[in-house]
Amino acid sequence: MEGLLLDVDYVEDEEHPSMRIYLKAGGEKVVAVDRNFRQYFYVLAEDPGRAAGVISKVEVSERGRTVRPAAVEVVKRTRLGREVNAVKIVLQHPKHQALLRHAVRELPGVKEFYEFDIPPARRYLIETGLVPLAGVRVEGMERECEGIKTIFLDKSPEPREWSGDDLRIMSFDIEVHNPSGTPRPDRDPVIMISMVDTEGLRKVLTWKVPEMKPDYVEVVEDEREMFRRFVETVRERDIDVLLGYNTDLFDFPYMKERAKRLKTKLALGRDGSEVYMRKRRFATATRIRGRVHVDVYAMVNFLATIGAIRLIHYTLEDVYKHVLGKEKPDFEVGEIARAWDTGGEKLERLLEYSLSDARATLELGLELLPVFYELSRLVGQTLFDVSRMTPGQLVEWLLIREAFRLKELVPPRPLEEEYGERMEDTYAGGYVMEPKKGLHENLVAFDFRSLYPSIIVSHNVDPSMFNCNCCAPDETTAVPDLGYHFCKRRRGFIPLILERLINARAEIKKELKRHRPGTAEYRSLDARQMALKIISNSFYGMLGYARARWYFKECAESVTSWGRHYIHQTITSATREGFEVVYADTDGLYCKLNGRSRRDAFKFLEKMNRRLPGIMELELEGFYPRGVFITKKRYALIDESGRLIVKGLEFVRRDWAAIAKRTQEAVLDAILRDGSPQKAAEIVRKMAKDLFEGRVRFEDLIIYTQLKMPIESYRSIGPHVAAAKKLRAKGYAVEPGMVVAYVEAKGPGSISDRATPVEDFKEMEYDANYYVEHQVLPAVMRIMEVLGYSEDDLKFTTDKQTKLVRFLK
DNA sequence: CCGATT
DNA sequence: AACGGCTAATCGG
């Protein structure tokens, strides 16, 4: 049988540890069980032949049973590109791994262990060459088990071509009764479960009868019945991919706990099994056997860490608006309990809101999933795993698969001690030029296309190529200023793989030009090139990441050193050609044309590119009529179509009140678009007046700051910490990672003393003086100052005698 | 006022 | 749980 590979999981069973492959062929769902899989690891020893002999006789007794290797053999592998004879130890059962490894460690002549830290399901995908969300062929005995067709494999599954199979995707969302602060599963019931799927389902399950019942609402007896109907619906609709927003950390753990208390089960598995959690220190994820649970928030979070999306808040509402450009209904969390308790129109709005959340999650998921499908295929790990991986993990799993193909041994993850040592070892990063402060006109921006990836490929930056003995340092091999060099006779593993990714992306981009945007082909190709870009850009970070298997500080350090070299070289050359460089950061620079034409800029570009090695390339990013440069990392530009581009200013930060950010934006607009500092000054005066006279919206005064540590760990009590303490005193759960929202209240004491959580700030008065002096003025003065204006020039009087002010509700 | 903390 | 560079506010001695 052939089908689309949905998921793979490993089931530990005393007698039969089995690998289970979930596939879908047309409408048919199948699980293929492979009991022939054998986990293994490698040992490097002084005398591999002798070591193999000794190891094959190793016996360890555990709980009255004797554990011994299934097989031991000497095999040829490479380690950092050099041939080695490794002892391969095949296990009878994956759970014997640690036991045998510890026994083998005691043997004389045993040096290092490899590949003992590859989980079975991931190892299986690599070993079989199967690719998730691609085709698979399975062969064996067929039987019906737990209502799902099961094939017991009698030979290894094989990868196959497979063209499309529409997945059935459902999103869901729950609402929870929260009468006092953070809801607690031991007390507060789930009151609604909403579901939307790709086949047209729109449903809200609830257990209270609303006065007006919309057609999408299904009222059931109680919470327990609601859970049962949810499970039933997922099974009836035969869902392949189940989506939610923050379901890993909230919905599933909450539902699981409620289900336990209601003495029922969330049996969402295709084989009727209950959902189960993989709990780790930093992550917990819920798995559903035979279906793929994807937390859309995990994908969003990933895109935020790589900078593909940058928002102030990552709530469903905000992300939905940013990604899809549409608004969705909102509902104040604090009002949920009241809506439930009082019913009426408010309850109807809550039902509507709940459905809109599920629908928005589905739409957002459908928008983001294609890139993660491609990442999953590219990395060769399941969508479940890949959608939760960090950039470093993606590169690592891609490299592990490639290492297997090249018979290169995979380095182990560092132990805590090694990690600590690596952390001590810091190195210099990119060069940032002190900007020529002030307003500049007629600018051109140049930047290097994928600077760090192109350095790795062009200079063969790789751990095994570092300071080779076969090449002497020369113009292309020597790292600027560091006294290192990289081999140019052989090709490093990392540059080899990275170059393939970059070339594949170039091909796809060529192919893209032959398709119309919006077509299915275009979208799929675009997702592929995006996945390739994401992975390529993560290689450098991984080299410098202390927990990475392929960590190599000298490599990361060499990449940034070459980076500084190339940006310096570009600055020097541009200056020599008559361009005035006003600012540069890491891989790009802004120059004043100073009378030079656009053609001159392009000619300069060509000249630069003639001397750059390998695949390195400088690009002309664009022309800008005006730009204001304030400090390093802080500047704003207006492009030729009148769009404002703001970098590093308060404008794009959440730890500033919206009022400051909005005033700053208006000031920049007046300066860059209208060229009028006078207009800017007027805007500031008006805003100060509005603040003193209470003509501002409450939301615009809120400052958001994330708690990074447990509240007790803070040595310095800043405003957000002080506000969090007040929240906790009121019974809210205060945990690292939460974003504290506070407003500065008027009164005695320090800024921290007066930082008041939004929840408490009901009939209080805000500190207008603080917002003028510490928010609006600093934000705008940074800009006005570089233009030669002082605070006095704004001629603005902070009338501290102004009678007490209140905000407009 | 100034270094430390965030 | 991908890197380093950088600015700025506020605390607290």
Side-chain angles (χ1 to χ4, degrees), chain A residues 200-465:
Chain A
L201 174 80
R202 302 153 68 239
K203 187 184 280 286
V204 181
L205 299 172
T206 189
W207 45 280
K208 184 163 184 170
V209 187
E211 280 158 37
M212 291 274 290
K213 192 178 83 66
D215 58 355
Y216 57 80
V217 174
E218 180 183 328
V219 182
V220 296
E221 192 56 36
D222 53 18
E223 188 187 9
R224 195 165 182 276
E225 176 64 10
M226 183 173 71
F227 277 30
R228 199 195 59 76
R229 274 294 288 149
F230 171 57
V231 169
E232 190 173 69
T233 310
V234 169
R235 295 171 75 165
E236 275 172 9
R237 311 282 303 178
D238 201 16
I239 297 304
D240 300 309
V241 179
L242 189 63
L243 302 176
Y245 201 80
N246 202 26
T247 34
D248 270 345
L249 292 178
F250 181 70
D251 303 55
F252 269 129
Y254 202 95
M255 288 169 92
K256 193 121 199 266
E257 188 57 34
R258 286 302 298 169
K260 202 167 118 192
R261 286 172 186 276
L262 297 168
K263 301 201 182 347
T264 182
K265 285 189 158 74
L266 282 176
L268 289 167
R270 269 203 160 120
D271 55 356
S273 61
E274 204 178 357
V275 302
Y276 59 105
M277 273 159 212
R278 182 192 67 177
K279 265 195 186 162
R280 297 234 189 105
R281 192 135 54 101
F282 285 97
T284 148
T286 301
R287 264 186 171 281
I288 305 167
R289 220 157 258 160
R291 304 182 213 279
V292 188
H293 164 221
V294 174
D295 186 342
V296 176
Y297 178 72
M299 298 197 285
V300 166
N301 197 40
F302 176 89
L303 295 172
T305 41
I306 62 167
I309 52 175
R310 184 167 158 75
L311 294 177
I312 292 173
H313 307 288
Y314 293 90
T315 59
L316 177 59
E317 284 77 20
D318 285 6
V319 176
Y320 180 74
K321 188 175 170 191
H322 179 260
V323 174
L324 293 154
K326 296 189 280 188
E327 306 256 356
K328 69 170 291 301
D330 204 355
F331 199 94
E332 210 187 310
V333 184
E335 294 298 305
I336 292 176
R338 195 172 318 163
W340 180 255
D341 297 337
T342 59
E345 188 261 346
K346 243 183 164 166
L347 179 61
E348 284 152 34
R349 272 205 14 245
L350 182 59
L351 289 162
E352 199 180 310
Y353 162 75
S354 183
L355 184 71
S356 81
D357 262 9
R359 187 184 308 171
T361 303
L362 181 66
E363 279 183 62
L364 192 56
L366 293 177
E367 185 69 22
L368 304 183
L369 274 171
V371 171
F372 289 84
Y373 292 159
E374 295 303 334
L375 282 170
S376 176
R377 293 181 178 123
L378 198 58
V379 168
Q381 293 297 333
T382 62
L383 177 63
F384 179 88
D385 284 344
V386 163
S387 66
R388 292 170 174 82
M389 281 183 186
T390 63
Q393 288 171 310
L394 288 179
V395 178
E396 212 157 84
W397 286 100
L398 175 101
L399 288 179
I400 291 171
R401 193 173 256 248
E402 296 296 340
F404 172 80
R405 301 224 291 231
L406 295 168
K407 295 190 186 298
E408 167 77 12
L409 292 174
V410 175
R413 284 197 309 260
L415 299 174
E416 271 315 293
E417 191 195 349
E418 167 79 8
Y419 169 71
E421 285 167 21
R422 288 176 176 187
M423 286 299 279
E424 302 283 299
D425 225 353
T426 59
Y427 64 93
Y431 166 71
V432 187
M433 179 184 138
E434 189 62 47
K436 292 187 178 161
K437 296 183 171 65
L439 184 66
H440 302 291
E441 302 204 326
N442 293 324
L443 298 158
V444 57
F446 299 102
D447 60 14
F448 282 92
R449 192 186 57 188
S450 302
L451 179 68
Y452 288 176
S454 67
I455 287 173
I456 294 172
V457 169
S458 304
H459 290 285
N460 204 24
V461 178
D462 184 272
S464 69
M465 298 291 124

Side-chain angles (χ1 to χ4, degrees), chain A residues 465-712:
Chain A
M465 298 291 124
F466 177 70
N467 284 353
C468 69
N469 296 320
C470 60
C471 307
D474 69 22
E475 212 174 298
T476 57
T477 65
V479 184
D481 307 321
L482 294 178
Y484 307 152
H485 74 277
F486 288 89
C487 186
K488 67 173 173 186
R489 300 162 74 115
R490 295 167 296 142
R491 195 79 180 119
F493 172 58
I494 285 172
L496 175 81
I497 306 303
L498 182 53
E499 185 171 31
R500 274 214 306 252
L501 299 176
I502 292 171
N503 288 341
R505 177 160 185 249
E507 284 301 312
I508 293 170
K509 292 202 90 171
K510 247 192 262 167
E511 174 76 17
L512 260 179
K513 293 199 177 118
R514 290 197 281 274
H515 294 273
R516 264 184 309 118
T519 59
E521 292 85 357
Y522 189 95
R523 285 173 63 98
S524 137
L525 285 168
D526 199 38
R528 266 174 70 193
Q529 70 85 13
M530 188 62 80
L532 286 158
K533 179 184 179 178
I534 288 170
I535 301 257
S536 303
N537 285 343
S538 305
F539 271 62
Y540 154 73
M542 187 219 52
L543 285 171
Y545 176 43
R547 288 198 197 274
R549 293 170 189 267
W550 275 274
Y551 167 87
F552 206 94
K553 181 218 154 196
E554 289 82 354
C555 285
E557 191 184 19
S558 298
V559 172
T560 58
S561 180
W562 259 308
R564 292 192 299 274
H565 166 79
Y566 286 114
I567 195 75
H568 279 134
Q569 188 184 75
T570 312
I571 292 168
T572 309
S573 304
T575 309
R576 201 185 300 127
E577 299 286 330
F579 299 101
E580 185 188 348
V581 181
V582 294
Y583 183 55
D585 183 352
T586 312
D587 61 351
L589 66 162
Y590 293 93
C591 307
K592 268 159 99 163
L593 284 170
N594 267 359
R596 299 279 168 305
S597 67
R598 291 180 176 219
R599 261 195 66 205
D600 293 333
F602 283 105
K603 277 201 286 196
F604 168 70
L605 187 71
E606 277 173 35
K607 196 168 164 185
M608 283 301 299
N609 278 325
R610 276 198 294 276
R611 41 196 276 222
L612 288 169
I615 63 166
M616 295 200 56
E617 194 181 338
L618 188 68
E619 289 183 315
L620 197 152
E621 195 258 326
F623 294 98
Y624 297 91
R626 285 199 186 100
V628 55
F629 292 83
I630 297 152
T631 59
K632 287 179 176 183
K633 306 274 185 193
R634 293 180 163 225
Y635 58 96
L637 304 148
I638 189 157
D639 72 11
E640 295 189 293
S641 53
R643 233 165 43 98
L644 216 56
I645 292 122
V646 183
K647 300 282 181 184
L649 287 157
E650 282 69 16
F651 198 66
V652 284
R653 305 180 61 106
R654 68 175 157 203
D655 52 355
W656 283 79
I659 196 105
K661 294 184 278 191
R662 283 229 315 272
T663 315
Q664 189 177 60
E665 182 180 18
V667 161
L668 282 170
D669 203 75
I671 289 163
L672 292 171
R673 199 185 307 276
D674 310 323
S676 170
Q678 294 76 18
K679 189 176 168 190
E682 196 45 52
I683 290 165
V684 180
R685 275 183 223 117
K686 172 151 189 325
M687 182 48 71
K689 198 157 183 282
D690 285 349
L691 268 164
F692 281 117
E693 292 170 7
R695 278 191 306 275
V696 289
R697 290 188 312 179
F698 178 64
E699 303 93 85
D700 293 345
L701 301 174
I702 303 172
I703 298 166
Y704 300 90
T705 313
Q706 190 180 34
L707 274 188
K708 298 279 191 186
M709 310 184 269
I711 196 100
E712 312 78 41

